[in-house]
Amino acid sequence: MRAAIMRAFGEPLRVEAVPDPEPASDGVVVAVRASGVCRSDWHGWMGHDPAITLPHVPGHELAGVVAAAGPEVRGFAVGDRVTVPFCCGCGRCEPCRHGQTQICDADFQPGFTAWGSFAELVALPRADLNLVRLPEPLGFVEAASLGCRFMTAFAALTEHGRVAAGDWVAVHGCGGVGLSAVMIARALGASVVAVDVDPETLELARSLGAAETVDARAGDAADAIVELTGGAHVSLDALGSAATCRGSVRSLRKRGRHVQVGLLLADEREVAVPMDRVIAYELELRGVHGMAVSRYDALLRLVETGAVDPARLIGRTIALEQAGEELASMGAFAQRGLSVIEL
Ligand SMILES: [Zn+2]
Ligand SMILES: [Zn+2]
């Protein structure tokens, strides 16, 4: 198969011919049709992820067709159109036995713990647990775009935020996951106030359904949100920084729920949050790591109804040969749609 190989951190990926993977006895090999390029891939490429060993193939937002299946696989067969969550479960640990595959103790993450989908073929273990069948009308490119940012936004709003129609939802940071959250919250019947530092991005958030927008450069975003909404019922830090985390907590009304979506890395791993406010307002603080594979049905139904259109977040499709260049460009926080490799 052809694969975009990483032989050294921070150096250009090269498309090379390498041996085809074989399916595990309980796994499949998927012929990749589309694979999203994500900032997490960039972190991996830069050497920020200790799970990655070289040589390596990135890629975790994939959709494709089953090309080979191990003898123990019962629920899937060659030719099935499928995707997987970026965090696959082992099926044996306590979180997996409770259905929480996204926080598996021995998780398999394509493109991190093993070779991923910047390739013609990718091997995926424990297919009966982890694979998700794609509904016929959903294209591969759109399906690939659901597997990471969209899915995490959906879990943040439904499972953790427990958003109800009529709620005010604040979204701090309108990158891929933030804009996904704007769209999904709107589809759930909530009113959204979107926060960002870029006027064009705020305009985009408005076009995707945000009722209000706040330019964080203009002053204290939390104060502005409280002024506009009386305090949000649910607030997401969709960027991942000490400032947006604290701002998200401070923008809540009493008994509101903060969901930490953006990763807190490097020297912002530990954030001082106003715990006095958490007590006085009886706030809830939640973290979201991804979405359990069992929740895919609900997410796909929302897409099928047309209430959300993930295609609106796709910026462009590229060839496998352009994957390395695209990855290298993700160091800058340039605002644009998602890039998806099409094979
Ligand atoms: Zn991703
Ligand atoms: Zn597990």
Side-chain angles (χ1 to χ4, degrees), residues 76-288:
F76 295 89
V78 171
D80 285 349
R81 302 167 77 250
V82 295
T83 187
V84 281
F86 66 85
C87 195
C88 296
C90 72
R92 295 202 173 96
C93 71
E94 186 173 300
C96 279
R97 285 188 291 111
H98 292 153
Q100 305 295 342
T101 50
Q102 81 284 9
I103 46 171
C104 171
D105 290 344
D107 59 350
F108 174 93
Q109 298 189 32
F112 298 99
T113 64
W115 281 19
S117 53
F118 287 7
E120 288 175 325
L121 299 168
V122 62
L124 301 166
R126 298 175 292 281
D128 286 329
L129 175 64
N130 292 309
L131 255 52
V132 176
R133 203 178 301 280
L134 295 177
E136 204 51 57
L138 188 65
F140 291 114
V141 170
E142 290 75 21
S145 79
L146 297 178
C148 179
R149 293 158 277 201
F150 202 86
M151 174 179 99
T152 304
F154 182 78
L157 291 164
T158 57
E159 174 119 9
H160 300 280
R162 307 191 299 282
V163 169
D167 281 354
W168 272 108
V169 173
V171 177
H172 298 257
C174 291
V177 73
L179 290 174
S180 300
V182 170
M183 233 196 284
I184 297 165
R186 187 72 203 94
L188 296 171
S191 299
V192 179
V193 49
V195 184
D196 205 273
V197 293
D198 177 57
E200 261 178 61
T201 301
L202 289 174
E203 203 45 55
L204 185 55
R206 211 175 258 282
S207 77
L208 293 172
E212 301 282 355
T213 55
V214 170
D215 188 332
R217 296 170 310 172
D220 188 288
D223 287 350
I225 291 167
V226 172
E227 179 106 340
L228 283 166
T229 67
H233 296 84
V234 176
S235 182
L236 271 51
D237 173 8
L239 177 70
S241 75
T244 46
C245 172
R246 280 195 288 266
S248 172
V249 172
R250 287 182 42 250
S251 58
L252 290 169
R253 69 176 56 199
K254 289 181 176 173
R255 306 218 92 200
R257 295 177 289 281
H258 160 78
V259 188
Q260 188 62 40
V261 182
L263 299 178
L264 292 159
L265 299 169
D267 54 354
E268 296 198 324
R269 280 169 199 274
E270 293 184 13
V271 177
V273 294
M275 289 304 285
D276 57 338
R277 174 75 67 96
V278 173
I279 294 169
Y281 278 28
E282 294 196 345
L283 303 178
E284 224 176 290
L285 308 183
R286 308 277 298 227
V288 57

Side-chain angles (χ1 to χ4, degrees), residues 36-41 60-61 86 112 147-149:
V37 184
C38 175
R39 221 179 130 73
S40 309
D41 296 315
H60 60 280
E61 304 180 1
F86 66 85
F112 298 99
C148 179
R149 293 158 277 201

Side-chain angles (χ1 to χ4, degrees), residues 9-33:
F9 293 114
E11 287 189 9
L13 302 185
R14 272 219 326 264
V15 175
E16 298 178 23
V18 293
D20 289 356
E22 294 287 328
S25 58
D26 64 355
V28 294
V29 168
V30 168
V32 179
R33 294 293 166 78

